[in-house]
Amino acid sequence: MRLTVDRNPVRVFPDPRRVIARYYFNGEERAIFIIKHIQAMDDSQIHSLISPLLQDFSKRHRNITEKLEKNCDKVRHFIGVAGYNYDELSNFRKYLIGAYFTHEYSIESAAFFNPSIVPDPDQTNLESGQLRVIISFRAVGEGHISSVVFRRGILGKNNDIAIQPAGNYVDEAETIHEAVYPKKLFLRKGAEADINADFLNKVDEVLPDRFNYQSLKDLVAEHQKKTDDEKLVQEYRLVLSLLDSYRRICFSHDTDISDRVIFPISDFERKGIEDARFVLFTKENGTKVYYATYTAYDGIHIMPKLLQTTDFYEFKTSPLIGDGAKNKNLALFPRKINGKFAMLSRIDGWNNYLMYSDNLNVWEDPIKIQEPECSWELVQIGNCGSPIETEEGWLIITHAVGPMRRYCIGASLLDLENPEIEIGRLQEPLIIPNSDEREGYVPNVVYSCGSIIHNGALIIPYGLSDHSSGFASVCLDELLSTLKKSKA
């Protein structure tokens, strides 16, 4: 029996008007030149320049003066080098200096794709049969830098979906470094990231088992002063970038979910935060928390990382380490199995693996559970998000690559108590890029980072050729029945 897949007409497209105000620095010499010219202006000149800027950009950014003042503070050192006292500057002078060190970045100008979907923490004021959901997307802007963004939607009783309009502003989070860091995990991830071994040995020797951000920063500064080797200096900078992998980020409570963007902040993420796979995880005591695995990329290294939140206002991030935390495509199961966390991975970029762990951040001993079988998946097979628990087994939505590097979406079924056992696998793709979906930044690709069950149907949000996103649904009973028959 051929499964019927219903494609929803709703599409979500990139919007180049979605911009954030970011710090912009072009070198010390130019910074001092700009500051001296601004300081040579009288107050009336300052006011005539900054007033129209504030009127213009306040329509595009929440609290634009706060952002400009923060960016002025970032060049405080150069204001002093230029011979001026930062604390004696007027607010308007600070705003103008900040404006010269600020630029707009369009987070969605290139693409808006690879969505995952989870139930919203707020399910109030809904009609019978409705479900409020949060959908995460990979947004790509100038320079192909990826970030994580969100939209809120409502699934109807007939499995139609309505996406709420995005807000007028986009805000980055405030970053808060954690109070203490585990030295053992830090050293191990540092070795995996090829950070200077001699310095890591010094960290091991000098710092306690749990240390704070400032103590490591002071140690880095001490070692930087002892060398003129630019390569070594760059490695020391990477140390602090690695520490940024452990952080807490907070959004203002007056932001809409669509206003929040998780944007790269460290060197290890400077080329993007890719393909967040969100899952609503149920702890053994019944409490729930949202986790997301994602890939941080610096142009050379791939660092799998973990996000954690309960409300989508505050997130904690930390790196994933171990032999199983390699490559991309990590996806956490929504509960423990036999007392252990469980994770899917694709450590070799080719096959699907399963791992168990007592520690959410440490993953070892990956077990191969799937390899390509069908003609449409011979290049590689991987997951399209976290497993979904059903009465018949763990439903795994997969992506597969075949001839002409065409990506398709498939499905598999794993045993509930022993997911190393594959109960069934679709012998034909569930979704193939059609003529309306095959054109984009990367042609012939359909890809998802997480699906959901609602009113007897599997709802699959999916990216269209690395450009935009759409939605499809399939009857859950028919899908499970087909999967069980596939191994008969």
Side-chain angles (χ1 to χ4, degrees), residues 36-80:
K36 285 183 176 180
H37 273 262
I38 294 174
Q39 285 298 86
M41 299 176 186
D42 60 33
D43 288 346
S44 63
Q45 288 176 295
I46 295 291
H47 195 269
S48 67
L49 286 172
I50 193 60
S51 291
L53 285 174
L54 294 181
Q55 291 176 27
D56 184 11
F57 287 91
S58 63
K59 300 180 182 70
R60 296 166 66 86
H61 303 279
R62 181 187 286 107
N63 298 326
I64 185 62
T65 54
E66 179 182 326
K67 293 175 172 64
L68 297 181
E69 189 167 357
K70 281 184 178 179
N71 288 346
C72 179
D73 185 63
K74 289 179 180 178
V75 296
R76 178 192 288 257
H77 168 73
F78 302 107
I79 292 172

Side-chain angles (χ1 to χ4, degrees), residues 182 184-186 188-189 192 245-247 291-294 303-308 316-326 330 332 341-343 355-364:
K184 184 178 179 181
L185 293 185
F186 177 82
R188 183 166 179 183
K189 195 62 186 179
E192 290 180 2
S245 297
Y246 301 86
R247 66 182 188 269
Y291 290 114
T293 53
Y294 70 95
M303 180 185 287
K305 296 179 71 173
L306 186 72
L307 272 175
Q308 175 182 340
K316 292 182 179 180
T317 73
S318 55
L320 298 173
I321 65 176
D323 291 338
K326 308 286 187 184
L330 276 73
L332 185 68
F341 296 105
M343 180 93 79
M355 305 173 290
Y356 299 102
S357 180
D358 295 316
N359 186 325
L360 259 177
N361 292 96
V362 182
W363 296 92
E364 304 284 8

Side-chain angles (χ1 to χ4, degrees), residues 439-486:
E439 308 298 349
Y441 186 74
V442 181
N444 304 306
V445 173
V446 287
Y447 193 95
S448 178
C449 288
S451 304
I452 197 169
I453 293 172
H454 178 61
N455 289 342
L458 176 72
I459 311 298
I460 307 171
Y462 63 102
L464 313 174
S465 296
D466 285 13
H467 174 258
S468 55
S469 294
F471 300 86
S473 63
V474 60
C475 174
L476 180 63
D477 286 343
E478 290 182 8
L479 175 59
L480 294 176
S481 176
T482 302
L483 284 166
K484 287 189 296 181
K485 293 176 182 177
S486 67

Side-chain angles (χ1 to χ4, degrees), residues 316-381:
K316 292 182 179 180
T317 73
S318 55
L320 298 173
I321 65 176
D323 291 338
K326 308 286 187 184
N327 216 303
K328 303 181 179 183
N329 257 223
L330 276 73
L332 185 68
F333 281 69
R335 65 169 174 83
K336 285 185 174 181
I337 298 175
N338 300 320
K340 291 183 178 292
F341 296 105
M343 180 93 79
L344 294 177
S345 72
R346 198 193 64 197
I347 60 170
D348 56 9
W350 187 11
N351 306 289
N352 267 334
Y353 290 77
L354 174 68
M355 305 173 290
Y356 299 102
S357 180
D358 295 316
N359 186 325
L360 259 177
N361 292 96
V362 182
W363 296 92
E364 304 284 8
D365 304 319
I367 305 161
K368 186 194 291 188
I369 59 169
Q370 289 183 314
E371 60 184 22
E373 291 180 355
C374 302
S375 60
W376 49 279
E377 60 185 18
L378 290 182
V379 175
Q380 73 185 49
I381 186 172

Side-chain angles (χ1 to χ4, degrees), residues 3-18:
L3 289 165
T4 300
V5 176
D6 295 318
R7 283 171 162 87
N8 194 295
V10 171
R11 293 276 182 92
V12 187
F13 293 95
D15 184 351
R17 296 171 298 178
R18 308 277 291 164

Side-chain angles (χ1 to χ4, degrees), residues 213 216-217 220 236-245 266:
Y213 183 84
L216 183 66
K217 187 175 180 180
V220 168
Y236 290 146
R237 290 175 185 151
L238 285 177
V239 172
L240 293 180
S241 296
L242 176 59
L243 203 60
D244 280 333
S245 297
S266 75

